[in-house]
Amino acid sequence: MSSAGEAAPTPEPSDDASRGDAAISSFAALGLRPELVRALAGLGYEEPTPIQREAIGPVLAGRDLLGQAATGTGKTAAFALPILERLTHAGRGGDPMALVLVPTRELAMQVSEAVHRYGRDLGARVLPIYGGQPVGRQLGALKRGVDIVVATPGRALDHIARGTLKLDGLLLTVLDEADEMLDMGFADDIESILEGTPDGVQTVLFSATMPPRLNKLTRRYLADPVRIEIERETVAAGDAPRVRQTAYVVQRAHKPAALGRVLDVEAPAAALVFCRTRAEVDSLSETLNGRGYRAEALHGGLTQEQRDRVMARVRGGTSDLLVATDVAARGLDIDQLTHVINYDVPAAPDSYVHRIGRVGRAGREGIAITLAEPREHRQLKTIERVTKQKITMEKVPSVADLHARRLEATRAALHESLLEDELGRFRVVVETLTDEFDLMEVALAAVKLAHESRGGADDEEQDIPEAAVRPDWKTKDKSGPYGKPARGGPRRGPQGAVTRVFIGAGRATGIRPQDLVGAITGESRLGGKDIGAIQIADRFSLVELPADAADEVIAALRGSTIKGKKTTVRRERFGGK
Ligand code: AMP
């Protein structure tokens, strides 16, 4: 590596009290109070993401807002921080001062946890309410008093009808992932809820896409909104580096294993791994070192001296992996870098371009690999659109891929040895053994030993489960995600043994065959052609699936909701097949 650090950010002192100075100044500059700024520094956020930079000011100033941003952009903090800032001015009543509507139960929990973390020092009382959770627990909490409710529309409406969720004290309403809520059939519920909010309540809407069907909502409920899009800056085709871009979709829990697998298969000479926060940088480099990789951590919490030491180790080749935040990696010029790995999808297309620009220099081809969580695929699509470059979706290398790759490496090493090494002194060994064994067998044993001594033993690694691209039950996107035929394509039906699966929703819920096909292909590895006959009765539906995929589909559908409601999914009990 060469010339690290000339354009690096101003060095920061590293004693705990002043750790995060840069973060403090950049978040404080947005007008956030010290308790919030402290919580963010504690989480290891080094600077606001673009959507936060643009949205927080106007929302703090009381403006309605229409923001185009997908998961992964930092949009949650963009609305949560202004809500929490208001909390302190609003004082403590029993009724909520903010209502956040989200499409799914997963998102309700996720957003609620995030708000809770940001509001740690303010003692914010946050409550997620969603279908599927016992109403009793929600009732108790609502009665005791909450500041911020994060809810799916259906359950919010239930509580409003019961009189247990009161909207009179609302200062702010947020519609998060509005396009998804409409896709899931929540339009009427949302309107009913918004009709019940106080006149003039501040309303903020975030959506990954801005389809025309959102117009009615925005015209009616947003007053002169500030409009923010984070994908404006396009990159001229000539500026784009020559980089092979790949993404793997994996669940968060499998990311460390997936990264390890990718590193093993790619065997980068030198790689820069980007994380969003300092905390993530620290924990990932620890995990990697624990797994036998030589990784160094670099983030804004290091002193210049620590930073220099890290860079010396990287430059000296003691370390082949550098794990860094965007801020800390700014100004690094790393010559021998072959791979950039995004441990998370970057918050904006711009940062993606900056990150991958670290490789593919001087006419060499670089490799950029992104690990995306299922919900972040939209952010990837945005990046593709803005950069006008394709990001190929691939499966995380399997154990078999890894073994094949290791065997190939052993073969290549033997080939090189055959060409270059003086092997005469081993002849006697081979000749003695061939008295007893076939030459082929001798060769096989020698290859085995060579393979094992190169660390190529077939240890007990496990395959990393593939993650469905879209975890929500919805049907509108016809793009035919990664590798699977588009849903609208012809359906031929399962080829082998068939199982009929019972789904406890039918015509009465407005279910159509294409909804079921969409849900199944969205949740599992199956494509439309794998699905057989579909029968829709009033209260339930039956779907024919390949027998060996039935369990996977049942498990996946059980984890999702239909129009906001949990639904029974099981094998058909009295089926003829
Ligand atoms: P979201 O788009 O709101 O789902 O956020 C995506 C991820 O980015 C979450 O894991 C957040 O904790 C993280 N995040 C949000 N804002 C920042 C920031 N300013 N710096 C680093 N990470 C962030």
Side-chain angles (χ1 to χ4, degrees):
M1 314 226 168
S2 72
S3 63
E6 292 94 315
T10 342
E12 297 164 41
S14 75
D15 54 300
D16 272 355
S18 51
R19 240 177 92 113
D21 273 358
I24 287 175
S25 58
S26 58
F27 280 106
L30 292 176
L32 295 171
R33 52 176 301 150
E35 291 93 330
L36 291 175
V37 172
R38 248 198 330 267
L40 296 170
L43 288 169
Y45 291 9
E46 296 202 319
E47 60 175 6
T49 66
I51 192 81
Q52 291 161 4
R53 241 191 320 268
E54 296 195 35
I56 289 175
V59 181
L60 280 178
R63 294 287 302 270
D64 282 2
L65 183 131
L66 184 58
Q68 180 158 8
T71 295
T73 54
K75 68 183 164 56
T76 313
F79 62 75
L81 296 170
I83 289 178
L84 288 162
E85 182 76 19
R86 284 279 195 96
L87 175 75
T88 56
H89 304 308
R92 273 286 152 90
D95 296 337
M97 46 78 71
L99 172 66
V100 181
L101 293 175
V102 298
T104 63
R105 146 208 177 107
E106 291 72 28
L107 198 61
M109 293 191 283
Q110 204 176 302
V111 167
S112 170
E113 279 163 23
V115 176
H116 183 78
R117 276 199 305 270
Y118 301 142
R120 195 187 57 186
D121 292 353
L122 295 170
R125 298 168 302 173
V126 192
L127 180 70
I129 60 180
Y130 45 80
Q133 196 195 33
V135 174
R137 235 178 84 198
Q138 299 171 353
L139 285 179
L142 284 167
K143 236 192 204 131
R144 283 193 299 278
V146 291
D147 301 309
I148 299 145
V149 169
V150 184
T152 51
R155 187 52 75 94
L157 210 51
D158 283 354
H159 279 288
I160 293 168
R162 285 164 178 255
T164 43
L165 173 57
K166 300 209 174 61
L167 306 183
D168 313 332
L170 284 190
L171 301 176
L172 230 147
T173 311
V174 177
L175 305 179
D176 191 16
E177 308 212 345
D179 51 354
E180 294 218 15
M181 290 201 281
L182 294 194
D183 279 359
M184 293 173 74
F186 284 134
D188 293 347
D189 289 359
I190 293 173
E191 284 205 37
S192 308
I193 295 168
L194 293 179
E195 287 299 327
T197 56
D199 279 347
V201 71
Q202 187 181 358
T203 307
V204 170
L205 183 150
F206 278 107
S207 190
T209 58
M210 290 292 169
R213 63 186 184 284
L214 269 180
N215 291 347
K216 189 173 157 210
L217 264 187
T218 53
R219 268 202 312 271
R220 185 142 183 194
Y221 298 103
L222 299 186
D224 184 26
V226 176
R227 287 165 194 266
I228 294 177
E229 255 182 85
I230 55 149
E231 53 176 279
R232 280 162 322 189
E233 294 175 60
T234 43
V235 184
D239 298 347
R242 281 204 322 155
V243 178
R244 171 158 69 80
Q245 300 169 57
T246 307
Y248 300 102
V249 178
V250 282
Q251 298 290 358
R252 176 137 213 103
H254 298 302
K255 274 198 175 178
L259 176 60
R261 187 64 50 81
V262 166
L263 291 173
D264 291 346
V265 169
E266 290 280 335
L272 180 54
V273 183
F274 281 101
C275 293
R276 284 197 187 113
T277 65
R278 292 177 186 186
E280 220 167 47
V281 165
D282 282 334
S283 99
L284 182 62
S285 47
E286 220 161 88
T287 307
L288 287 171
N289 282 304
R291 292 178 182 212
Y293 302 96
R294 297 174 304 167
E296 292 287 343
L298 194 70
H299 56 60
L302 304 185
T303 55
Q304 186 62 41
E305 201 189 339
Q306 289 168 317
R307 188 183 162 91
D308 289 344
R309 268 205 301 274
V310 166
M311 290 317 298
R313 284 196 290 270
V314 174
R315 247 179 267 124
T318 332
S319 204
D320 34 27
L321 282 176
L322 188 59
V323 185
T325 55
D326 292 270
V327 171
R330 239 166 248 163
L332 280 188
D333 189 8
I334 303 170
D335 278 348
Q336 70 268 48
L337 204 64
T338 52
H339 289 65
V340 162
I341 299 175
N342 299 308
Y343 193 63
D344 289 295
V345 180
D350 244 21
S351 13
Y352 181 84
V353 173
H354 285 143
R355 286 180 179 190
I356 71 166
R358 303 314 173 87
V359 288
R361 291 183 172 179
R364 283 177 304 185
E365 200 205 37
I367 294 170
I369 293 170
T370 304
L371 300 184
E373 285 171 57
R375 295 195 62 85
E376 291 173 328
H377 81 283
R378 286 201 165 181
Q379 179 63 357
L380 276 182
K381 289 272 157 214
T382 305
I383 291 171
E384 274 190 325
R385 204 168 50 244
V386 173
T387 59
K388 298 193 178 70
Q389 289 191 31
K390 179 106 193 91
I391 302 175
T392 315
M393 302 298 302
E394 282 182 18
K395 289 186 184 164
V396 179
S398 64
V399 175
D401 293 336
L402 180 61
H403 289 166
R405 165 86 198 211
R406 286 179 181 160
L407 273 180
E408 169 52 27
T410 299
R411 193 205 58 79
L414 289 169
H415 188 251
E416 196 180 313
S417 171
L418 283 163
L419 290 177
E420 316 230 319
D421 290 344
E422 179 45 64
L423 301 172
R425 66 198 171 102
F426 301 108
R427 180 172 290 274
V428 59
V429 178
V430 176
E431 280 173 355
T432 327
L433 286 168
T434 46
D435 289 346
E436 201 179 334
F437 300 98
D438 185 63
L439 186 57
M440 176 59 120
E441 286 175 303
V442 176
L444 290 175
V447 171
K448 171 178 180 280
L449 287 182
H451 189 59
E452 286 174 359
S453 72
R454 295 169 42 80
D458 290 354
D459 36 26
E460 305 204 332
E461 295 198 59
Q462 294 191 340
D463 272 325
I464 297 162
E466 232 183 286
V469 170
R470 299 175 313 109
D472 303 319
W473 179 295
K474 63 188 181 59
T475 57
K476 294 292 192 306
D477 182 356
K478 294 276 194 289
S479 58
Y482 321 122
K484 290 200 280 193
R487 269 180 224 138
R491 292 199 287 117
R492 287 200 309 268
Q495 301 297 299
V498 164
T499 296
R500 282 217 295 193
V501 170
F502 171 97
I503 297 172
R507 261 192 303 277
T509 336
I511 292 293
R512 301 160 305 164
Q514 58 266 44
D515 296 331
L516 295 172
V517 173
I520 292 166
T521 54
E523 295 288 332
S524 70
R525 275 173 301 167
L526 298 187
K529 66 178 175 24
D530 303 314
I531 301 171
I534 295 179
Q535 284 176 30
I536 299 195
D538 259 0
R539 311 221 151 263
F540 65 90
S541 310
L542 293 170
V543 183
E544 282 185 354
L545 297 175
D548 56 2
D551 285 337
E552 178 196 332
V553 173
I554 290 170
L557 293 185
R558 279 182 181 161
S560 59
T561 54
I562 303 179
K563 301 204 165 161
K565 292 203 178 64
K566 281 289 223 193
T567 303
T568 311
V569 184
R570 57 170 163 78
R571 283 166 189 273
E572 188 197 14
R573 286 204 185 113
F574 313 107
K577 296 186 190 182

